Amino acid sequence: LENRDVILIDQRGMGHSQPGLFCNDGELTDECRARLVGNGVDLSQFHTAAIADDIELLRQSLGLDQINLFGFSYGTFLGQEILRRHPERIRSAVLDSCLPVAVATTAEGGPGALASFLNLIADCNSDPACRASYPEIENTLYAVLDRANTTPFEILLDGETVSAGPSMLVTSVFMALNSPSQINAIPKAIYDLAAGDVESTALATVLRSESNNMPYLDSQGAKISVKCHDILPFETYIEAKQNNASLNPYIASNYDLFALTGHTQCQVWQVRAADASFHYPVQSDVPTLVLGGEYDSLTRSAWSETVAATLSQSYYFSIPRTGHVTIQRDCPLEMAKSFLNNPSAVPNSSCLSEIRTSDFFELPSS
């Protein structure tokens, strides 16, 4: 906003776009589908290629010769398709926390999330104070999950007692990897819980949900349509089960359920699949900055590197000690701004070393 106009888009089916594909609270997938179809909604029109063309039409309507793309998470999935379909109209692109079109991301989600957690453990182990305080983070987490499976922990959180079983703990720890205000408390939270400290401040930090409080953004029907047109027809639940089989059973159970829920929804939603060519790697010579957070449990950093590999004018950076949506940190944000000013030059990444070498993890009080 300092130097540029920023155009924010509610893609078709989402936010304030009409029709909005919202499922009501408590509404089952088949009930939501029946209601939307009964209201005249053609569910087959809500998919990534159509959204990419919408953005091109918007560019035309605004009378712009070229635009810079910025997308994170699903926005990178969409950004890849825009680069494929309308490259001549894109001056540059910033793709942050990538969801590759050519990777079975649901089937690989569990191992990806664990890999991100292990990156955090590796960073702790490289810090003498952190390693001395928390020498066995992974095994300690698994021991905590075993205990929670036998007897869920009763934890006081924001004035309410919460019963925390293995599923909640896995979800909380892995989602905390993506929050700048929660990451550094993860090792201490695990060790505090192992010691039976259910009133730990670090534990409360990790377990406290940072969920979106703007429900108008959460168009479940549009998500299902995109997922069932563009992603899950090219994966199977069996693939996910096989990939998760080597994980800790509580982690595997969470990601098995995530995959099963998606495939079950698609059986109900009944939209056609994208053409197989949609999942070919996107090749483009548009200057593109690609960012991936090393702790990202939703779109692992290796996926961003995969996207960059077929973009001939791309610059890829792995952002240390950072999870999903790396520009929550000042360093990658400044890199992105520098890139937009001169997309033909490699952004100055010297600030990344400051992230990696800074004191980071919360340690036990002396």
Side-chain angles (χ1 to χ4, degrees), residues 96-232:
D96 183 352
S97 306
C98 291
L99 192 70
V101 297
V103 171
T105 50
T106 301
E108 296 187 16
L114 179 61
S116 299
F117 179 61
L118 295 180
N119 286 342
L120 176 141
I121 293 175
D123 281 349
C124 179
N125 288 338
S126 68
D127 179 326
C130 189
R131 182 176 65 249
S133 300
Y134 316 116
E136 292 286 342
I137 297 175
E138 184 178 9
N139 290 337
T140 302
L141 173 63
Y142 297 159
V144 164
L145 296 178
D146 280 333
R147 285 171 57 184
N149 186 53
T150 302
T151 305
F153 292 93
E154 299 297 318
I155 300 169
L156 186 64
L157 190 63
D158 295 332
E160 297 184 8
T161 300
V162 175
S163 181
S167 180
M168 176 188 172
L169 293 174
V170 168
T171 300
S172 296
V173 168
F174 280 19
M175 288 304 295
L177 288 166
N178 302 305
S179 168
S181 65
Q182 295 176 293
I183 295 171
N184 63 345
I186 291 173
K188 187 174 189 301
I190 292 171
Y191 268 72
D192 285 349
L193 196 54
D197 183 0
V198 294
E199 297 182 359
S200 156
T201 302
L203 180 61
T205 297
V206 169
L207 295 185
R208 187 170 289 116
S209 172
E210 295 195 345
S211 59
N212 196 318
N213 61 359
M214 296 178 288
Y216 74 88
L217 292 174
D218 191 16
S219 175
Q220 187 66 16
K223 291 180 182 179
I224 296 172
S225 286
V226 168
K227 179 170 59 180
C228 297
H229 184 277
D230 296 331
I231 298 175
L232 289 182

Side-chain angles (χ1 to χ4, degrees), residues 24-343:
N24 297 325
D25 287 343
E27 194 171 44
L28 299 176
T29 302
D30 58 345
E31 295 170 339
C32 180
R33 181 188 187 280
R35 179 176 52 78
L36 292 173
V37 172
N39 290 337
V41 176
D42 181 357
L43 299 178
S44 69
Q45 297 301 313
F46 296 82
H47 54 83
T48 303
I51 299 167
D53 290 345
D54 288 343
I55 291 176
E56 166 57 14
L57 288 170
L58 177 61
R59 181 201 62 78
Q60 295 176 25
S61 298
L62 294 174
L64 303 173
D65 180 47
Q66 285 190 315
I67 57 176
N68 300 297
L69 288 180
F70 170 70
F72 61 84
S73 198
Y74 171 74
T76 69
F77 193 84
L78 172 59
Q80 291 165 75
E81 186 64 6
I82 296 171
L83 290 175
R84 177 152 48 198
R85 297 174 77 87
H86 306 290
E88 70 284 354
R89 296 304 182 184
I90 307 303
R91 172 181 175 268
S92 71
V94 178
L95 303 181
D96 183 352
S97 306
C98 291
L99 192 70
V101 297
V103 171
T105 50
T106 301
E108 296 187 16
L114 179 61
S116 299
F117 179 61
L118 295 180
N119 286 342
L120 176 141
I121 293 175
D123 281 349
C124 179
N125 288 338
S126 68
D127 179 326
C130 189
R131 182 176 65 249
S133 300
Y134 316 116
E136 292 286 342
I137 297 175
E138 184 178 9
N139 290 337
T140 302
L141 173 63
Y142 297 159
V144 164
L145 296 178
D146 280 333
R147 285 171 57 184
N149 186 53
T150 302
T151 305
F153 292 93
E154 299 297 318
I155 300 169
L156 186 64
L157 190 63
D158 295 332
E160 297 184 8
T161 300
V162 175
S163 181
S167 180
M168 176 188 172
L169 293 174
V170 168
T171 300
S172 296
V173 168
F174 280 19
M175 288 304 295
L177 288 166
N178 302 305
S179 168
S181 65
Q182 295 176 293
I183 295 171
N184 63 345
I186 291 173
K188 187 174 189 301
I190 292 171
Y191 268 72
D192 285 349
L193 196 54
D197 183 0
V198 294
E199 297 182 359
S200 156
T201 302
L203 180 61
T205 297
V206 169
L207 295 185
R208 187 170 289 116
S209 172
E210 295 195 345
S211 59
N212 196 318
N213 61 359
M214 296 178 288
Y216 74 88
L217 292 174
D218 191 16
S219 175
Q220 187 66 16
K223 291 180 182 179
I224 296 172
S225 286
V226 168
K227 179 170 59 180
C228 297
H229 184 277
D230 296 331
I231 298 175
L232 289 182
F234 304 92
E235 308 180 29
T236 67
Y237 173 59
I238 297 301
E239 285 180 90
K241 285 277 288 184
Q242 290 172 341
N243 289 341
N244 296 335
S246 62
L247 306 179
N248 171 273
Y250 304 113
I251 297 174
S253 177
N254 270 27
Y255 285 92
D256 285 351
L257 179 60
F258 176 72
L260 179 61
T261 299
H263 286 285
T264 302
Q265 287 176 328
C266 291
Q267 291 175 359
V268 173
W269 211 248
Q270 298 177 30
V271 293
R272 63 180 176 82
D275 187 84
S277 62
F278 179 84
H279 277 266
Y280 296 168
V282 173
Q283 298 183 345
S284 171
D285 58 7
V286 172
T288 304
L289 175 64
V290 183
L291 305 170
E294 291 182 3
Y295 295 173
D296 189 342
S297 67
L298 296 173
T299 57
R300 63 184 299 187
S301 58
W303 291 354
S304 292
E305 190 171 11
T306 296
V307 169
T310 57
L311 305 178
S312 63
Q313 301 298 316
S314 67
Y315 309 110
Y316 165 71
F317 294 92
S318 180
I319 311 301
R321 299 183 175 183
T322 304
H324 200 55
V325 189
T326 70
I327 64 155
Q328 294 180 89
R329 278 191 176 276
D330 289 341
C331 174
L333 175 60
E334 291 304 316
M335 290 171 61
K337 289 162 66 176
S338 172
F339 170 76
L340 289 174
N341 288 333
N342 186 2

